């Protein structure tokens, strides 16, 4: 028997307009696609930074994107944004930074190596954020870790490498905020502030929310002099007079440490530094000097770092250490913003090329 044939009357015509419409295939929030034009620019930035790291003796390292969550938890930093189970039922997590994995490597693969040890990296990290604020869950970082060189020398070297890298990519208007992670906790302990109340104060300070900070201080029931000190110190920000003119004995050690670092900096590095006694970093393993990079073309830090002299001891090899990380995407946006400012200053007839940044919202 011959099967009946279908006539054209039974065939639904193709909707060519529907087929030609762009299809929307979502990607996870807080992530983005990087297309070739921008990728070339990101690669140029990375290569310029890599060149400085290599010249300064930092060997490039790569570690697994996934680590055992129990290993990452030793650092006491921010919790991982993504967790998975392996085929043995172990909990794995995407790394939140490269400092902790490198600390693990130093304690295992370099257990008998003589310090100092100098490492650099170019790798993706993953954080839990609020995507509706335009923050990224996945981002590319470039950074160094200097192990076995205590303060102030190690801190001064890290700041010098940082400035050399930023200069190499052509950033002009940047400044480096420099503070001490131990300063405010020391003040809180000296006033016998309870741990829970201290955490709330540190959260407000980390968010630079001085209204909330004042409200939390008011709930502590301190005498007026102590309350005034807790509110005033985090707002002390400026040039070298911040650390040379202070007579407060409660944070004399922190100020003396910052002064020692500053005295070791070359003039071209020192002129970039702004002292910020209220500076705290999100990651919880910092023990001394901390710093962040700012540029007028971007309303958020481009990166930062600091000392973490206790972290490697948690992995079995107690060594002092300092490091920093730069966000390559943010650095690209800051460079683009500076180019736009130059183009505006030169005028509309300028032939300056400005690449429009791609920002995930």
């Amino acid at each position: 028997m011959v099967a009946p044939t279908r006539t054209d009357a039974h065939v639904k015509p193709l909707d060519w307009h529907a087929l030609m419409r762009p299809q929307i295939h979502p990607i996870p929030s807080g992530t983005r696609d990087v297309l070739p034009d921008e990728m070339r620019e990101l690669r140029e930035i990375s290569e310029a930074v890599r060149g400085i790291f290599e010249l300064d003796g930092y060997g490039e390292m790569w570690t697994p994107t996934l680590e055992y969550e129990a290993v990452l938890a030793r650092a006491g930093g921010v919790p991982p944004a993504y967790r998975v189970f392996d085929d043995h039922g172990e909990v794995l997590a995407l790394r939140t930074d490269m400092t902790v994995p490198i600390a693990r490597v130093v304690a295992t693969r370099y257990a008998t190596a003589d310090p100092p040890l100098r490492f650099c990296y170019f790798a993706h990290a993953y954080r839990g954020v609020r995507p509706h604020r335009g923050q990224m869950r996945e981002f590319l970082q470039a950074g160094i870790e200097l192990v076995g060189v205590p303060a102030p020398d190690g801190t001064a070297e890290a700041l010098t490498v940082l400035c050399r890298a930023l200069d190499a990519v052509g950033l002009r208007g940047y400044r480096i905020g420099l503070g001490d992670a131990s300063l405010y906790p020391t003040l809180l302990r000296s006033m016998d502030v309870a741990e829970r109340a201290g955490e709330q104060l540190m959260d407000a300070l980390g968010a630079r929310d001085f209204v909330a900070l004042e409200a939390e201080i008011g709930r502590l029931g301190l005498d007026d002099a102590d309350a005034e000190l807790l509110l005033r110190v985090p707002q002390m920000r400026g040039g070298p007079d911040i650390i040379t003119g202070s007579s407060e004995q409660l944070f004399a050690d922190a100020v003396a440490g910052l002064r020692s670092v500053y005295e070791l900096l070359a003039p071209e590095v020192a002129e970039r530094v702004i002292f910020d006694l209220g500076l705290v970093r999100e990651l919880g393993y910092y023990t001394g000097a901390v710093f962040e990079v700012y540029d007028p073309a971007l309303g958020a830090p481009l990166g930062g770092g600091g000392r973490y002299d206790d972290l490697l001891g948690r992995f079995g090899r107690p060594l002092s250490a300092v490091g920093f990380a730069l966000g390559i995407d943010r650095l690209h946006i800051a460079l683009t913003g500076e180019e736009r400012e130059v183009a505006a200053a030169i005028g509309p007839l300028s032939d300056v090329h400005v690449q429009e940044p791609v920002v995930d919202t």
Side-chain angles (χ1 to χ4, degrees):
M1 176 181 293
V2 178
T5 59
R6 298 181 63 185
T7 65
D8 290 344
H10 299 104
V11 178
K12 185 177 180 180
L14 291 174
D15 186 348
W16 293 104
H17 292 289
L19 290 175
M20 295 299 290
R21 282 198 294 266
Q23 301 295 305
I24 298 176
H25 304 289
I27 60 175
S29 62
T31 65
R32 69 189 185 98
D33 298 312
V34 181
L35 304 184
D37 285 346
E38 186 185 3
M39 193 67 231
R40 279 190 291 271
E41 296 181 355
L42 294 176
R43 183 71 65 188
E44 289 175 1
I45 293 171
S46 297
E47 290 306 312
V49 173
R50 179 181 281 108
I52 294 298
F53 290 171
E54 291 179 351
L55 282 175
D56 288 338
Y58 288 80
E60 188 170 354
M61 181 183 291
W62 182 265
T63 68
T65 305
L66 284 167
E67 296 267 358
Y68 288 110
E69 184 180 31
V71 173
L72 295 179
R74 292 189 182 190
V78 296
Y82 299 98
R83 298 178 178 87
V84 296
F85 291 94
D86 66 8
D87 52 353
H88 301 293
E90 297 283 351
V91 182
L92 307 178
L94 291 176
R95 61 187 175 220
T96 57
D97 67 3
M98 281 291 290
T99 299
V100 177
I102 289 178
R104 171 186 58 75
V105 171
V106 169
T108 54
R109 306 296 294 274
Y110 293 84
T112 59
D114 293 330
L117 304 172
R118 291 177 172 86
F119 302 108
C120 69
Y121 57 85
F122 295 80
H124 284 89
Y126 304 83
R127 301 266 178 91
V129 298
R130 303 178 190 175
H132 68 273
R133 295 175 57 187
Q135 295 175 314
M136 302 301 295
R137 294 180 184 271
E138 179 186 41
F139 46 90
L140 177 61
Q141 287 187 326
I144 67 164
E145 308 296 345
L146 174 57
V147 178
V149 182
D153 299 82
T155 310
E157 178 177 330
L159 289 169
T160 301
V161 176
L162 174 59
C163 287
R164 281 169 47 79
L166 294 171
D167 291 341
V169 301
L171 202 67
R172 295 178 298 274
Y174 71 90
R175 292 292 183 269
I176 299 173
L178 178 61
D180 192 301
S182 66
L183 193 155
Y184 209 72
T186 298
L187 289 178
L188 296 178
R189 287 192 297 271
S190 71
M191 299 174 188
D192 295 324
V193 175
E195 182 177 353
R196 176 56 184 160
E199 290 175 355
Q200 293 174 334
L201 290 175
M202 293 300 295
D203 288 343
L205 187 57
R208 309 296 285 185
D209 188 345
F210 292 108
V211 174
L213 182 66
E214 184 174 12
E216 293 294 337
I217 292 173
R219 297 187 182 98
L220 298 178
L222 301 173
D223 61 56
D224 291 344
D226 286 347
E228 188 272 337
L229 184 65
L230 286 181
L231 186 61
R232 175 170 54 86
V233 168
Q235 300 182 67
M236 295 175 65
R237 191 171 189 269
D241 57 302
I242 294 294
I243 58 171
T244 57
S246 175
S247 60
E248 298 285 355
Q249 291 300 310
L250 285 176
F251 53 91
D253 290 342
V255 171
L258 294 176
R259 188 182 301 118
S260 298
V261 171
Y262 188 72
E263 291 171 350
L264 292 174
L265 299 177
E268 64 271 17
V269 178
E271 67 183 10
R272 298 286 189 174
V273 171
I274 300 171
F275 291 96
D276 185 351
L277 300 191
L279 180 61
V280 296
R281 299 281 292 155
E282 178 185 17
L283 302 173
Y285 46 67
Y286 290 114
T287 56
V290 289
F291 44 90
E292 286 186 335
V293 182
Y294 311 109
D295 189 89
L298 187 68
L302 279 67
R307 300 208 61 85
Y308 50 97
D309 293 329
D310 297 339
L311 178 59
L312 275 85
R314 303 178 196 178
F315 291 90
R317 192 175 187 196
L319 287 171
S320 57
V322 63
F324 68 78
L326 288 169
I328 296 297
D329 295 291
R330 288 188 174 185
L331 186 52
H332 177 240
I333 295 171
L335 284 165
T336 303
E338 287 194 349
E339 290 176 3
R340 184 179 288 120
E341 290 173 0
V342 170
I346 294 175
L349 298 180
S350 163
D351 60 354
V352 175
H353 171 68
V354 179
Q355 174 76 23
E356 187 71 22
V358 180
V359 183
D360 183 277
T361 57

